[in-house]
Amino acid sequence: MKERLEALKQEALQELSGVQSQQELNDLRIKYLGKKGPLTEILRGMGALSAEERPVIGQVANDVRAAIETVIEEKQAAYQQQETENRLRAEMIDVTLPGRPSQQGAVHPLSKVIQEIEDIFIGMGYTVAEGPEVEQDYYNFEALNLPKDHPARDMQDSFYITEEILMRTQTSPVQVRTMEKRKGEVPIKIICPGKVYRRDDDDATHSHMFTQIEGLVIDRNIRMSDLKGTLLQFVQEMYGKQTKIRLRPSFFPFTEPSVEVDVSCAMCGGAGCRTCKQTGWLEILGAGMVHPRVLEMGGYDPKEYTGFAFGMGVERIAMLKYGIEDIRHFYTNDLRFLKQFLHI
């Protein structure tokens, strides 16, 4: 049995010397030291030995096991060391290489225009007011002189959640909420920026969701000339001192009288071109004197107070300012488009 153990030792050490991988090493560990290995089989036969032979053979068997385990552990440590070195080499960072430049972000062109509009009106003494995008029918329509059966509602086909709750079609509800909150106090000078929603088919000039800014002024002796002066100041700061405005009669249920406001075409200076369809003018917003009924529903006596209101689509302002022909560019997240505004 002693000779078998010595032969087994030499066989195991010979095989271990030719190991080429950690998997082979694990396989040989199981082969020689496992429960079904030859060393275990020899130890099971020690019961047939005499009392004098057992300790001798037991010592030899332990020496064989220790020799095999020592070689396996040494090779295992070598493989682990090699694996660590390989991983360190793979993860090594060469600090002498130039850094990788990160992409520079920028304010979205619509956000930029909103900030610019807010700055202009804040400079004229206005404050910024905001309200919910999910709105009550009362604030979105009824308090603005648009009862449920009013035909003008068809101009703003809406996303209704229930019969009384909808996605707001304009930021005018913020004006009504402000009037209610102020409870007849004057003056009111606010602008109301925010997203609005209408069931429009998306195309180059329309979107089911867009951004709007409305303004409201209420005080004693507010006149149409105040509205015109305010809008002229705004467009000249937005588009340049050479810009002119033109007011055309129009209809809005919540203002009376109402006007459409045009600006002189910046492309041709008012001479007429393709952009302005040879008219020399470009429409940018709607406005008018606050309807007496709206004042009354907001808690103001129309015999004592007057006011004006205006509303503009931010996309329209931005398209004219930067010469953008398709409103969809603002919402498709095309980096080629957005990168043009990095330094504006």
Side-chain angles (χ1 to χ4, degrees):
M1 187 172 286
K2 184 176 180 180
E3 289 76 12
R4 287 179 60 191
L5 287 170
E6 289 296 333
L8 178 63
K9 175 182 175 182
Q10 295 303 320
E11 178 186 343
L13 296 180
Q14 180 67 29
E15 283 203 67
L16 288 169
S17 65
V19 167
Q20 299 295 323
S21 67
Q22 192 164 355
Q23 182 60 48
E24 289 184 36
L25 185 65
N26 291 333
D27 292 342
L28 289 178
R29 181 199 299 273
I30 295 172
K31 177 179 178 180
Y32 288 104
L33 303 180
K35 293 182 180 180
K36 297 181 180 180
L39 183 59
T40 303
E41 183 180 348
I42 291 173
L43 294 175
R44 284 180 182 148
M46 289 181 62
L49 299 177
S50 65
E52 293 79 10
E53 291 179 310
R54 285 175 191 163
V56 176
I57 298 303
Q59 182 61 46
V60 173
N62 288 335
D63 291 343
V64 170
R65 177 184 289 277
I68 295 173
E69 286 179 342
T70 298
V71 174
I72 290 175
E73 289 172 359
E74 289 175 353
K75 287 187 172 291
Q76 180 69 31
Y79 280 125
Q80 290 178 347
Q81 177 66 25
Q82 185 63 44
E83 182 181 351
T84 300
E85 292 177 0
N86 291 340
R87 187 169 64 252
L88 289 174
R89 276 195 295 271
E91 298 175 357
M92 183 174 60
I93 300 174
D94 186 352
V95 295
T96 65
L97 291 174
R100 296 172 182 170
S102 58
Q103 288 192 346
Q104 181 182 1
V107 177
H108 192 279
L110 287 182
S111 298
K112 175 69 175 175
V113 171
I114 290 173
Q115 291 173 1
E116 190 171 349
I117 294 172
E118 288 179 347
D119 288 343
I120 293 172
F121 281 101
I122 289 173
M124 290 191 280
Y126 287 69
T127 58
V128 177
E130 297 181 334
E133 294 178 21
V134 180
E135 189 55 273
Q136 297 178 38
D137 183 274
Y138 172 80
Y139 289 106
N140 195 83
F141 288 125
E142 294 180 44
L144 293 167
N145 200 32
L146 280 162
K148 292 186 180 299
D149 57 350
H150 200 292
R153 285 200 182 203
D154 294 339
M155 298 166 60
Q156 299 182 18
D157 200 5
S158 313
F159 291 101
Y160 274 89
I161 299 172
T162 69
E163 290 186 2
E164 297 298 329
I165 302 295
L166 72 156
M167 304 300 294
R168 68 181 180 187
T169 61
Q170 52 203 358
T171 57
S172 303
V174 182
Q175 300 179 19
V176 179
R177 290 178 177 274
T178 300
M179 286 190 284
E180 282 191 353
K181 183 178 179 181
R182 297 292 294 273
K183 297 180 179 179
E185 294 180 1
V186 291
I188 291 179
K189 291 183 71 175
I190 60 170
I191 56 170
C192 316
K195 296 176 182 176
V196 298
Y197 306 84
R198 299 182 187 179
R199 293 180 59 187
D200 277 334
D201 293 328
D202 291 355
D203 57 29
T205 57
H206 297 85
S207 174
H208 66 281
M209 183 279 294
F210 58 98
T211 313
Q212 192 178 56
I213 290 184
E214 296 196 9
L216 173 69
V217 172
I218 298 177
D219 205 346
R220 293 179 175 87
N221 301 317
I222 298 297
R223 301 179 296 270
M224 179 68 80
S225 58
D226 298 316
L227 170 62
K228 184 177 181 180
T230 298
L231 296 179
L232 181 61
Q233 176 74 14
F234 162 67
V235 300
Q236 289 186 344
E237 292 199 36
M238 177 61 66
Y239 297 117
K241 292 297 183 182
Q242 76 287 350
T243 309
K244 301 176 182 179
I245 65 171
R246 179 179 72 174
L247 307 184
R248 292 180 289 109
S250 185
F251 167 76
F252 301 111
F254 29 83
T255 54
E256 181 59 39
S258 303
V259 294
E260 298 284 0
V261 182
D262 304 332
V263 296
S264 54
C265 179
M267 300 296 180
C268 63
C273 65
R274 179 179 178 182
T275 301
C276 62
K277 299 179 181 179
Q278 306 302 323
T279 65
W281 298 95
L282 294 167
E283 180 185 328
I284 62 166
L285 58 89
M289 301 301 293
V290 179
H291 196 288
R293 177 61 178 156
V294 175
L295 286 170
E296 189 176 10
M297 294 185 71
Y300 289 81
D301 184 353
K303 295 180 180 179
E304 184 176 359
Y305 301 105
T306 54
F308 64 75
F310 56 86
M312 66 188 80
V314 178
E315 290 81 354
R316 178 66 170 165
I317 302 297
M319 291 169 75
L320 293 178
K321 185 175 181 66
Y322 299 123
I324 300 167
E325 296 182 351
D326 195 324
I327 193 174
R328 290 169 292 192
H329 291 322
F330 292 119
Y331 303 114
T332 53
N333 297 322
D334 189 331
L335 291 178
R336 296 170 299 178
F337 170 76
L338 296 175
K339 284 181 178 179
Q340 299 177 73
F341 301 92
L342 281 175
H343 305 293
I344 291 179

